[in-house]
C-alpha cells in the first residue's frame, strides 16, 4: 500500500481500534491512520461503526507524523486548493448556510462563498427556506470554476448517497422469507405501514390474518409491535410487503376430514353475494350455498331475503382444499319435504309463476 496520499484522496480501509476520541484505520503501514471519533458520533457520543468495519475516508494531511483522515472536509481545512481537489475527487465538504439568495442559498465553505440551488438543499422532507439558514450541513461540490470564484454545491447528493447506502444494507439484511419484528407506524384502509429500523414496509389488509379483516383499526394499533414475514421486496422502488397471515397455521388444514360430504351443520351467514350465500363453518373457512340451491326464484335479490348473522342449516356437498372451496346445500326438514310434496300433488296443474312456494321450487330444481 502507498505510504503517501494526496490531500482529498479517498481510500476504503478497515477500522482497527476505537478509543474515547479517535478511530484508528488500517493503512498497511508501520503506523495507522486516524479519524476523529466525533465525526461519526451521535449526540450521546455513540458511534454506529465497530472494529473490523470497512469505511471510506479522505486524506487531510499529516499531524505529528500520523496520517489524518476525515469523512468530510471542514472549513478550517478548506482552502481553494483543497476545495478544487475535493471537487475532482468527490470529497464531501462541510458548509455553513448563511442566507437565502436568488434561486437558492449562500453557503460558506471555509472562506469560500458557494451557491446551493433550492432543488439541491434537503432531500425527501423539504423544509421552508428559512429553516435552513444558520445550519451546518454536508455538501458535495458539483461545479468549481474560475479558481474558486464560482462554486456550486449540493446537499441533496449527499443525502441521496446516504439513503442509498442505508437501503443497500437493508436489502442485504431483509430478505424475502425472513421473519421480522416491527412497530405499526400508521394505519390506512388498505393496510398498515410497519417500521423496520427506519424503513416503512406495507402490511396489506389481506395479509393481516386468514380471518377476513374489514377494519384494520379493529385488529392493529399505532405503536403496536408485530411479527411478520417478508413476502415481497422491490428495492429498486423501495417497496417491501409483509404478511402476518403467513405465520398463522392454515385454517384449511384438516377441513376435509372435519367436514366430510354429507355432514349437516347449522351455520351462520357471513356474507351475501349476488350468486349465493357464504356460510361460516370455522374461523377463516366459509362454504358457499349457490343461489340455484336456495328456495328462491332465480332473479331474487338475496340481500333482501338474507343478511349476515342469519342461521342456516346446510349439508356439505363437497370440499376442495386445494381451491379452498366448500360447496353446500340448504337442509330441508322432513316436515318441509312432506308439505312441499303435498303442495306439489295438489297443485300439479298450476302455473308455478302464478303461485310460488320456495320449498316446492327447491325440490323441483
Amino acid at each position: 500500500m502507498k505510504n503517501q496520499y494526496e490531500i482529498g484522496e479517498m481510500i476504503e480501509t478497515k477500522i482497527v481500534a476505537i478509543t474515547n476520541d479517535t478511530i484508528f484505520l488500517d493503512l498497511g503501514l508501520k503506523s495507522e491512520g486516524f479519524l476523529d471519533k466525533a465525526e461519526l458520533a451521535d449526540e450521546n457520543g455513540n458511534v454506529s461503526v465497530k472494529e473490523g468495519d470497512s469505511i471510506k475516508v479522505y486524506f487531510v494531511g499529516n499531524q505529528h507524523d500520523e496520517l489524518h483522515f476525515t469523512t468530510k472536509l471542514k472549513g478550517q481545512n478548506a482552502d481553494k486548493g483543497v476545495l478544487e481537489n475535493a471537487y475532482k475527487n468527490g470529497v464531501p465538504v462541510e458548509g455553513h448556510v448563511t442566507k437565502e439568495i436568488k434561486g437558492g442559498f449562500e453557503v460558506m465553505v471555509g472562506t469560500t462563498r458557494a451557491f446551493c440551488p433550492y432543488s439541491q438543499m434537503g432531500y425527501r422532507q423539504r423544509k421552508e427556506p428559512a429553516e435552513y439558514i444558520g445550519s451546518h450541513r454536508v455538501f458535495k461540490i458539483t461545479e468549481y470554476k474560475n479558481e474558486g470564484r464560482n462554486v456550486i454545491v449540493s446537499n441533496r447528493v449527499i443525502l441521496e448517497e446516504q439513503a442509498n447506502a442505508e437501503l443497500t444494507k437493508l436489502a442485504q439484511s431483509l430478505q424475502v422469507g425472513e421473519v421480522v419484528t416491527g412497530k405499526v407506524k400508521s394505519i390506512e384502509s388498505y393496510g398498515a405501514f410497519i417500521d423496520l429500523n427506519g424503513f416503512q414496509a406495507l402490511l396489506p389488509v389481506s395479509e393481516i390474518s386468514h380471518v377476513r379483516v374489514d377494519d384494520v383499526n379493529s385488529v392493529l394499533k399505532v405503536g403496536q409491535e408485530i411479527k411478520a414475514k417478508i413476502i415481497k421486496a422491490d428495492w429498486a422502488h423501495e417497496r417491501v410487503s409483509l404478511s402476518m397471515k403467513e405465520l398463522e397455521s392454515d385454517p384449511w388444514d384438516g377441513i376435509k376430514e372435519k367436514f366430510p360430504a354429507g355432514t349437516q351443520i347449522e351455520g351462520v351467514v357471513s356474507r351475501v353475494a349476488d350468486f349465493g350465500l357464504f356460510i361460516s363453518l370455522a374461523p377463516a373457512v366459509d362454504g358457499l350455498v349457490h343461489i340455484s340451491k336456495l328456495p328462491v326464484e332465480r332473479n331474487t335479490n338475496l340481500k333482501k331475503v338474507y343478511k349476515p348473522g342469519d342461521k342456516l342449516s346446510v349439508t356439505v356437498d363437497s370440499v376442495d382444499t386445494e381451491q379452498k372451496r366448500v360447496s353446500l346445500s340448504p337442509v330441508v326438514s322432513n316436515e318441509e319435504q312432506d308439505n312441499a310434496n303435498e303442495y306439489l300433488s295438489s297443485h300439479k296443474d298450476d302455473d308455478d309463476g302464478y303461485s310460488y312456494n320456495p320449498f316446492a321450487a327447491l325440490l323441483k330444481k
Side-chain angles (χ1 to χ4, degrees), residues 20-56:
N20 289 336
D21 55 8
T22 304
I23 295 175
F24 291 96
L25 308 170
D26 180 14
L27 302 179
L29 304 173
K30 292 181 179 179
S31 62
E32 297 97 354
F34 76 93
L35 167 72
D36 292 332
K37 183 181 176 182
E39 287 194 21
L40 301 180
D42 60 20
E43 57 186 14
N44 297 317
N46 300 317
V47 293
S48 59
V49 295
K50 61 183 183 302
E51 292 180 11
D53 283 356
S54 294
I55 187 172
K56 290 182 179 180

Side-chain angles (χ1 to χ4, degrees), residues 8 55 72 85 110 127 143 151 167 183 255 308-309 332-333 338:
I55 187 172
K72 58 183 178 292
N85 197 295
K127 303 176 182 178
E143 192 172 307
V151 178
L167 203 62
K183 286 189 177 181
I255 288 296
V332 179
S333 68
D338 292 341

